[in-house]
Amino acid sequence: PILLRHRARPDRLVQILREVQEVADFISDETAAWLAERLRISYAQVKSTRDFYAFFYRENRGRYRILFSDNITDRMAGNQALFEHMLKRLRLEPGKVSDDGLVSVDYTSCTGMCDQGPAILVNNRTITRMTPRRVDEICDLVRGKVPLSQWPAEFFVVEDNIHRADMLLGTPHEPGKAVHAAIARGRDGMLGEMKLSNLRGRGGAGFTTAVKWDACRNANGDTRYIVCNADEGEPGTFKDRVLLQSYAGRVFEGMAIAAYVVGASQGFLYLRGEYLYLLPQLEAYLAGMRSAGLLGRSIGGVAGFDFDIEIHLGAGAYVCGEETALIESLEGKAGRPRVRPPFPVTSGYMGQPTVVNNVETLSKVTEIAIHGGAWYEAIGTKQSTGTKILSVSGDCERPGLYEYAFGVRIAQVLEDCGAQEAIAVQISGASGVCLSEREFGRRIAFEDVPTAGSFMIFGKQRDMFEVARNFSHFFAHESCGFCTPCRVGTSLLKNIMDKIADGRGTQYEMNELLRLQQVLKPGSHCGLGQTAGNAVADTVQKFRPAYERRLAETDFVPAFDLDAALARARELTGRDDAAAHLGEEA
Ligand code: SF4
């Protein structure tokens, strides 16, 4: 039935693998070979796709696969103690399956619940606000082999936590109003309003949306596509989660308007795997839009305006947030970024002209359709028009969403969320910029501090070295391995940070950290590698004492500890006298 539902389309491979794993718990080599035959693609392609994504398993990982979100904000909320507590209760080792094959417990990257962490995933279902008591309850349910569908509903509650609403979050959505307003303006008229609005992409890069749409519209191709990038994987970001949970109509209507302007007939919502819990309600919303004539054929009675939307789920790969990696994933492959040019607007999904826009960007299109570009352009600053939604987390009294007109000062956000004792803010996630107290007068805007939305706050009790170390582990884990500067550079960065944490770092390592940044930035193929050293470089510069107090008082300590590496040999030979150690007389 899974293959039938997906019409045995190879481009649906990621979805097929996900659904097969739901039933079989893992995807064995035999299953991969069987799928290759049925889909008429190579065994190597199925294996390479399976092995690329963190949420696909080639071996049994247990009927219950528990993953602890491990963003720095989860750590600040105590996830490590809860992790240890669960391992103890279940008598498990980290990442190992229990002897009876029932359960495994491990860490994963940020799951997008930083306002209500610590969070975990159980078979990709989100559970927030973990406590020791909740760990005990989950252990009892697992040991009792209670199906996930019968676990208490309150475990799975995900709150919106909207604390400041403006143009987007504060306006009720009237279904169909934006699409009909766009149709009334006509294709050229709507594009004209988009140009007037100067709306820029909210995914981080800040590219002008109308320019993208115009390029796609004018590109040669048989079919055009609209892709909504909801692979919200940047640590500390969760605004798209809320938009999809409570404002899905805006997102989908934004996609329909984009399709109307560029002449696209098919849309995809690429939803990060961690947001699986949203899938049923989003599918139901799309069904409602079809019934209301807002999707399907001749939308709004316009001949030729035919458009529909499919939802694709990701499977735990941060790099798929990069638009060409996302397109590869949509085509059923490993999500490795493509060489650009050509850009997706001329050669995207299946080689056809494709617009890829962020969830928040598309939501804002609905307001421009209704109120016009001039109205939108008057909000914010000259180069950064409109509003920006910030995902605020960390050391503050009220974590959650805050929507501001562009130009708001960092200090204002800190005051609004109750973060009087902040010493640093990490803006735009692990790949962004770390601001210290003396920079809190700066503004959120493309011309000053640009952001995709993440706003992580660190109070005076925090150790900024550990913050940067957490990010260095994140990038080493998420590097797709395609290009050498990133593959090797992110691992070196992580190893050096660990060496300093162990008290074995010296001034030599401090210089190496900055030197690595000079290799990663210009030499990496995509944004992941190019930004992987940002947090380390920023904290070395702004919080240097946090590094220096860990340094060993020598000029150089080798990265490889030969004596420690010989410990296993000493154990095997039963010899651990002084002469069996390096530097001692034999
Ligand atoms: Fe992959 Fe890193 Fe290279 Fe990007 S920079 S393609 S994530 S190895």
Side-chain angles (χ1 to χ4, degrees), residues 6 19 32 55 109 336 495 543 547:
H6 293 285
E19 291 180 27
F55 291 168
S109 300
R336 294 199 179 86
N495 292 346
F543 297 93
Y547 286 76

Side-chain angles (χ1 to χ4, degrees), residues 52 318-319 322 335-338 475 478-488 490 520 523-530:
F52 180 81
Y318 166 77
V319 70
E322 197 278 342
R336 294 199 179 86
R338 293 177 178 172
F475 284 117
E478 295 294 342
S479 169
C480 81
F482 172 75
C483 63
T484 310
C486 173
R487 186 180 64 246
V488 178
T490 52
L520 279 163
S524 296
H525 174 59
C526 84
L528 187 152
Q530 288 156 10

Side-chain angles (χ1 to χ4, degrees), residues 98-166:
S98 57
D99 291 340
D100 56 2
L102 185 66
V103 56
S104 63
V105 179
D106 208 342
Y107 283 116
T108 187
S109 300
C110 177
T111 57
M113 301 288 155
C114 312
D115 55 332
Q116 46 207 296
I120 64 168
L121 297 173
V122 183
N123 297 359
N124 288 39
R125 266 67 170 191
T126 300
I127 301 180
T128 60
R129 301 200 187 282
M130 290 296 293
T131 59
R133 184 163 164 208
R134 192 161 274 189
V135 168
D136 289 338
E137 287 171 331
I138 289 173
C139 291
D140 291 343
L141 290 164
V142 167
R143 283 282 167 234
K145 299 182 184 165
V146 178
L148 206 54
S149 57
Q150 292 171 25
W151 288 23
E154 70 262 24
F155 282 14
F156 302 98
V157 171
V158 177
E159 297 155 12
D160 278 355
N161 291 329
I162 297 170
H163 295 295
R164 191 180 194 283
D166 204 300

Side-chain angles (χ1 to χ4, degrees), residues 107-386:
Y107 283 116
T108 187
S109 300
C110 177
T111 57
M113 301 288 155
C114 312
D115 55 332
Q116 46 207 296
I120 64 168
L121 297 173
V122 183
N123 297 359
N124 288 39
R125 266 67 170 191
T126 300
I127 301 180
T128 60
R129 301 200 187 282
M130 290 296 293
T131 59
R133 184 163 164 208
R134 192 161 274 189
V135 168
D136 289 338
E137 287 171 331
I138 289 173
C139 291
D140 291 343
L141 290 164
V142 167
R143 283 282 167 234
K145 299 182 184 165
V146 178
L148 206 54
S149 57
Q150 292 171 25
W151 288 23
E154 70 262 24
F155 282 14
F156 302 98
V157 171
V158 177
E159 297 155 12
D160 278 355
N161 291 329
I162 297 170
H163 295 295
R164 191 180 194 283
D166 204 300
M167 162 222 291
L168 192 65
L169 300 175
T171 317
H173 174 65
E174 289 178 51
K177 188 175 175 185
V179 170
H180 289 118
I183 291 172
R185 293 182 189 281
R187 289 188 161 94
D188 292 340
M190 185 62 214
L191 183 59
E193 295 302 324
M194 289 295 293
K195 286 178 179 165
L196 262 182
S197 74
N198 198 22
L199 174 67
R200 294 172 67 175
R202 298 301 198 255
F207 196 76
T208 308
T209 308
V211 172
K212 213 181 235 191
W213 288 15
D214 211 9
C216 181
R217 190 186 199 217
N218 294 324
N220 291 325
D222 303 326
T223 315
R224 277 159 236 283
Y225 297 96
I226 305 296
V227 176
C228 175
N229 184 348
D231 193 46
E232 186 179 42
E234 190 62 55
T237 313
F238 47 86
K239 66 182 174 62
D240 295 347
R241 177 199 89 208
V242 177
L243 287 172
L244 288 165
Q245 180 156 299
S246 300
Y247 301 80
R250 288 182 182 279
V251 183
F252 292 140
E253 286 195 36
M255 291 177 73
I257 294 167
Y260 174 64
V261 171
V262 308
S265 55
Q266 180 64 50
F268 297 103
L269 175 78
Y270 189 99
L271 184 66
R272 75 180 299 211
E274 289 83 344
Y275 295 167
L276 172 67
Y277 75 98
L278 288 171
L279 185 62
Q281 70 190 68
L282 291 173
E283 292 283 17
Y285 201 97
L286 287 176
M289 283 181 73
R290 286 182 197 112
S291 307
L294 294 169
L295 289 175
R297 302 191 78 81
S298 304
I299 296 169
V302 179
F305 181 13
D306 307 332
F307 182 67
D308 212 327
I309 297 171
E310 275 180 26
I311 301 177
H312 274 239
L313 268 154
Y318 166 77
V319 70
C320 286
E322 197 278 342
E323 61 181 7
T324 61
L326 184 150
I327 289 169
E328 287 283 294
S329 182
L330 272 181
E331 292 180 359
K333 299 178 226 160
R336 294 199 179 86
R338 293 177 178 172
V339 174
R340 300 186 302 178
F343 292 95
V345 284
T346 55
S347 180
Y349 179 71
M350 298 297 178
Q352 298 296 317
T354 303
V355 163
V356 183
N357 281 148
N358 169 265
V359 171
E360 187 182 351
T361 314
L362 288 161
S363 305
K364 293 209 154 122
V365 167
T366 57
E367 291 302 303
I368 296 165
I370 294 169
H371 301 290
W375 170 85
Y376 188 88
E377 200 264 348
I379 303 163
T381 72
K382 185 119 191 77
Q383 292 173 51
S384 312
T385 58

Side-chain angles (χ1 to χ4, degrees), residues 248-565:
R250 288 182 182 279
V251 183
F252 292 140
E253 286 195 36
M255 291 177 73
I257 294 167
Y260 174 64
V261 171
V262 308
S265 55
Q266 180 64 50
F268 297 103
L269 175 78
Y270 189 99
L271 184 66
R272 75 180 299 211
E274 289 83 344
Y275 295 167
L276 172 67
Y277 75 98
L278 288 171
L279 185 62
Q281 70 190 68
L282 291 173
E283 292 283 17
Y285 201 97
L286 287 176
M289 283 181 73
R290 286 182 197 112
S291 307
L294 294 169
L295 289 175
R297 302 191 78 81
S298 304
I299 296 169
V302 179
F305 181 13
D306 307 332
F307 182 67
D308 212 327
I309 297 171
E310 275 180 26
I311 301 177
H312 274 239
L313 268 154
Y318 166 77
V319 70
C320 286
E322 197 278 342
E323 61 181 7
T324 61
L326 184 150
I327 289 169
E328 287 283 294
S329 182
L330 272 181
E331 292 180 359
K333 299 178 226 160
R336 294 199 179 86
R338 293 177 178 172
V339 174
R340 300 186 302 178
F343 292 95
V345 284
T346 55
S347 180
Y349 179 71
M350 298 297 178
Q352 298 296 317
T354 303
V355 163
V356 183
N357 281 148
N358 169 265
V359 171
E360 187 182 351
T361 314
L362 288 161
S363 305
K364 293 209 154 122
V365 167
T366 57
E367 291 302 303
I368 296 165
I370 294 169
H371 301 290
W375 170 85
Y376 188 88
E377 200 264 348
I379 303 163
T381 72
K382 185 119 191 77
Q383 292 173 51
S384 312
T385 58
T387 61
K388 182 78 196 89
I389 304 174
L390 300 176
S391 311
V392 175
S393 65
D395 292 318
C396 64
E397 286 160 21
R398 293 172 293 281
L401 289 200
Y402 291 74
E403 183 184 13
Y404 293 96
F406 265 119
V408 65
R409 290 190 193 280
I410 309 291
Q412 183 65 56
V413 183
L414 292 171
E415 188 184 323
D416 292 349
C417 69
Q420 286 78 9
E421 306 211 315
I423 58 158
V425 183
Q426 181 75 22
I427 309 267
S428 211
S431 63
V433 57
C434 181
L435 301 182
S436 65
E437 272 174 278
R438 74 178 67 139
E439 298 167 285
F440 289 173
R442 293 180 64 181
R443 296 174 185 276
I444 297 288
F446 291 107
E447 60 272 32
D448 191 356
V449 184
T451 177
S454 171
F455 193 102
M456 290 185 276
I457 302 165
F458 303 100
K460 61 183 179 194
Q461 73 277 31
R462 302 299 170 192
D463 180 345
M464 294 310 292
F465 169 82
E466 283 300 338
V467 173
R469 188 158 83 102
N470 176 275
F471 294 156
S472 72
H473 278 245
F474 169 77
F475 284 117
H477 180 259
E478 295 294 342
S479 169
C480 81
F482 172 75
C483 63
T484 310
C486 173
R487 186 180 64 246
V488 178
T490 52
S491 286
L492 286 175
L493 206 60
K494 166 180 149 306
N495 292 346
I496 293 174
M497 292 297 277
D498 286 349
K499 187 176 172 186
I500 295 174
D502 286 349
R504 296 188 302 112
T506 64
Q507 197 52 50
Y508 175 82
E509 273 72 31
M510 293 294 286
N511 297 338
E512 278 296 284
L513 287 175
L514 298 177
R515 212 172 61 82
L516 272 172
Q517 168 76 334
Q518 301 310 316
V519 176
L520 279 163
K521 217 181 224 340
S524 296
H525 174 59
C526 84
L528 187 152
Q530 288 156 10
T531 58
N534 285 1
V536 169
D538 273 353
T539 48
V540 165
Q541 192 199 338
K542 298 171 189 174
F543 297 93
R544 203 174 177 91
Y547 286 76
E548 284 179 337
R549 69 166 175 264
R550 293 179 156 89
L551 297 186
E553 287 177 0
T554 68
D555 290 338
F556 178 74
V557 176
F560 181 68
D561 184 348
L562 184 55
D563 188 62

